[in-house]
């Protein structure tokens, strides 16, 4: 099969500030995804974005369903999917956006009550993005969980963190993922020890407003 030419090249900045995440709704009968194209970093230059969502397994007894969305700068939208429409009531959704942006969610009604927010680390003084990824996890369950973060491409090594039970002083943890060696490109999965179904995967590139490099994983230099 043909292969991507080895190596990387200079890459122009793109004013994307995209956020997509999902969670079960209050009664745990639907999985809700929020799509955002913020304009906090790039202001009037911010770009909106298209997103395509795929259900790769059976959805309403059909193979591979898809849905298309578009978000204008500074706006957000939400959509939800009933768990009963997925095979065995186990949701599985993949979200594709521009410039390598990707999210994947799997689980069921027994998901732990975790809130996961993936954002872009900012410098303290000028609030410009550093190129690193921030992962904030909060726990509303009555028991602690062991969180596993696995890098899928850029060899930054696994991370294990214990998050305290809801209401404790350790019920929220913040993790910075340094993407300096990958030029802002990231691809990692968040899992919980003891729960084989639950996982959230995040991939893309942190846009800083500065020139960067094309994906070193795709260029086969990592």
């Amino acid at each position: 099969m043909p292969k991507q030419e080895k190596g990387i090249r200079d890459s122009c900045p793109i004013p994307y500030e995209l956020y997509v995440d999902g969670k079960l709704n209050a009664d745990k009968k639907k999985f809700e995804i929020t799509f955002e194209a913020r304009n906090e970093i790039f202001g009037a230059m911010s770009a909106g974005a298209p997103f395509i969502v795929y259900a790769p397994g059976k959805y309403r007894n059909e193979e591979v369903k898809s849905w298309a969305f578009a978000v204008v700068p500074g706006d957000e939208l939400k959509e939800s999917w009933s768990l009963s429409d997925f095979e065995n009531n186990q949701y599985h959704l993949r979200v594709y956006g521009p410039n390598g942006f990707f999210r994947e969610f799997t689980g069921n009604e027994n998901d732990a009550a975790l809130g996961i927010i993936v954002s872009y680390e900012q410098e303290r003084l000028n609030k410009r993005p550093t190129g690193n990824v921030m992962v904030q996890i909060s726990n509303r369950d009555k028991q602690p969980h062991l969180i596993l973060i696995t890098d899928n491409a850029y060899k930054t090594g696994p991370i294990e963190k214990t998050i305290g039970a809801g209401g404790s002083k350790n019920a929220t943890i913040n993790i910075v993922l340094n993407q300096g060696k990958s030029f802002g490109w990231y691809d990692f999965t968040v899992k919980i020890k003891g729960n084989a179904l639950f996982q959230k995967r995040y991939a893309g590139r942190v846009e800083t407003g500065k020139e960067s490099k094309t994906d070193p994983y795709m260029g086969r230099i990592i």
Side-chain angles (χ1 to χ4, degrees):
M1 296 291 291
K3 293 183 179 181
Q4 170 73 27
E5 180 182 355
K6 190 173 182 178
I8 58 175
R9 295 185 177 185
D10 293 337
S11 177
C12 293
I14 306 175
Y16 285 133
E17 187 186 354
L18 307 181
Y19 297 82
V20 172
D21 215 323
K23 62 180 181 180
L24 292 176
N25 68 349
D27 64 9
K28 297 187 176 183
K29 292 183 178 180
K30 294 183 178 181
F31 188 80
E32 183 179 82
I33 297 180
T34 301
F35 308 83
E36 294 185 78
R38 296 185 190 176
N39 56 3
E40 299 170 0
I41 295 176
F42 302 109
M45 297 295 294
S46 299
F51 299 99
I52 299 178
V53 179
Y54 287 91
K58 284 188 177 181
Y59 181 85
R60 295 183 179 177
N61 294 319
E62 295 184 39
E63 297 284 352
V64 191
K65 292 282 291 183
S66 66
W67 301 263
F69 302 91
V71 185
V72 299
D75 202 0
E76 70 173 59
L77 61 85
K78 295 182 179 180
E79 185 59 271
S80 61
W81 289 259
S82 296
L83 268 61
S84 59
D85 289 330
F86 294 90
E87 189 173 18
N88 299 320
N89 291 332
Q90 297 175 6
Y91 67 85
H92 187 183
L93 295 166
R94 292 171 177 163
V95 182
Y96 293 84
N99 199 34
F101 186 94
F102 176 76
R103 302 290 187 261
E104 183 173 21
F105 310 110
T106 61
N108 61 15
E109 63 181 0
N110 296 318
D111 286 356
L114 296 182
I116 302 177
I117 300 174
V118 173
S119 59
Y120 311 116
E121 184 188 41
Q122 297 181 0
E123 297 175 358
R124 291 184 178 181
L125 295 179
N126 58 24
K127 302 299 182 181
R128 301 297 297 176
T130 65
N132 296 328
V133 174
M134 289 278 294
V135 183
Q136 182 185 81
I137 305 174
S138 57
N139 187 12
R140 300 185 301 277
D141 275 344
K142 295 181 180 179
Q143 69 272 3
H145 294 288
L146 179 61
I147 306 299
L148 311 174
I149 299 180
T150 304
D151 187 299
N152 299 309
Y154 303 104
K155 300 181 180 179
T156 60
I159 296 173
E160 293 189 4
K161 293 281 187 179
T162 297
I163 187 169
S168 70
K169 64 178 182 180
N170 298 318
T172 298
I173 57 176
N174 294 284
I175 302 168
V176 177
L177 304 180
N178 191 317
Q179 308 302 142
K181 293 182 179 180
S182 59
F183 310 105
W185 293 92
Y186 62 93
D187 183 353
F188 63 92
T189 299
V190 179
K191 297 182 180 180
I192 303 170
K193 186 175 182 179
N195 188 333
L197 287 178
F198 176 88
Q199 74 169 22
K200 292 188 175 184
R201 184 177 178 181
Y202 304 83
R205 186 177 79 172
V206 182
E207 293 293 344
T208 64
K210 300 177 181 179
E211 288 189 359
S212 183
K213 300 290 183 180
T214 55
D215 186 353
Y217 179 75
M218 186 172 67
R220 297 186 288 128
I221 67 168
I222 289 184

